[in-house]
Amino acid sequence: MTPLRFRKLALLLPAGMSILSSCVIPDDTSGIAKVDATTAAARKEMVGLSEADVRMCAGFPTATAGAGHSSQIWTYQRVVQRGNLSIVVPTLAVGAIPAVGGSVNVAPGGYCNTQIRMVDGRVAEVAYAGDNNLPNSVDALCVSTVDACVAYARQRDHRATAVSR
């Protein structure tokens, strides 16, 4: 390579790396992402479901813990193995320019712990914990745990409204 080509490469390489680094998704997207509609609905619509109702729509909990007199916390753990896309930039050192390289990992796996507080045999509260956000949606990896329960609660409410008419 001629010295002129080295200079061009030395000028283009940092520009290319800065463009590539701007494509990285930040770890915390809560400031720009919206709360998933299903998980938000579950926080309200599951309240009042019985223990039997929750077992019917979400299955048996992964873990349970006592939370005081006539109160328990049920935890549903979900690990998500998403397809990964890894882009690797080879390490390149040119003359006096330091080595430049690295990688970008798009859509890594995550996990969700859906926690349901039961008081006197009924749902009192639903909360989420874990690495459960997607780039554009907060708590999105928890949807599959609660989506059937939201539908179950809506169906129950619909039947109750129809009977009272």
Side-chain angles (χ1 to χ4, degrees):
M1 275 187 150
T2 65
L4 182 59
R5 283 193 174 174
F6 276 123
R7 283 189 203 150
K8 286 181 181 179
L9 183 60
L11 292 174
L12 291 176
L13 195 57
M17 290 304 293
S18 67
I19 290 169
L20 183 61
S21 69
S22 69
C23 297
V24 175
I25 298 169
D27 289 336
D28 181 16
T29 60
S30 60
I32 55 174
K34 295 182 179 171
V35 175
D36 181 82
T38 303
T39 56
R43 289 178 192 254
K44 295 176 184 173
E45 296 184 37
M46 285 180 63
V47 171
L49 290 178
S50 70
E51 290 181 0
D53 291 337
V54 175
R55 284 190 196 104
M56 288 296 293
C57 63
F60 289 87
T62 311
T64 60
H69 181 66
S70 69
S71 182
Q72 284 189 323
I73 296 176
W74 291 11
T75 300
Y76 291 85
Q77 298 173 334
R78 179 171 184 261
V79 176
V80 178
Q81 300 294 331
R82 292 181 266 185
N84 275 345
L85 171 63
S86 293
I87 302 169
V88 178
V89 178
T91 303
L92 179 65
V94 180
I97 299 173
V100 177
S103 66
V104 177
N105 191 4
V106 181
Y111 68 96
C112 173
N113 290 335
T114 301
Q115 295 155 173
I116 301 172
R117 188 167 55 93
M118 297 286 189
V119 176
D120 295 326
R122 298 222 169 258
V123 174
E125 182 181 10
V126 177
Y128 310 102
D131 180 13
N132 55 18
N133 297 341
L134 292 178
N136 295 322
S137 188
V138 175
D139 296 331
L141 294 183
C142 303
V143 169
S144 65
T145 305
V146 296
D147 59 350
C149 289
V150 170
Y152 192 89
R154 288 176 180 167
Q155 185 179 30
R156 179 198 66 184
D157 292 343
H158 179 70
R159 278 187 294 210
T161 303
V163 169
S164 67
R165 287 183 183 178

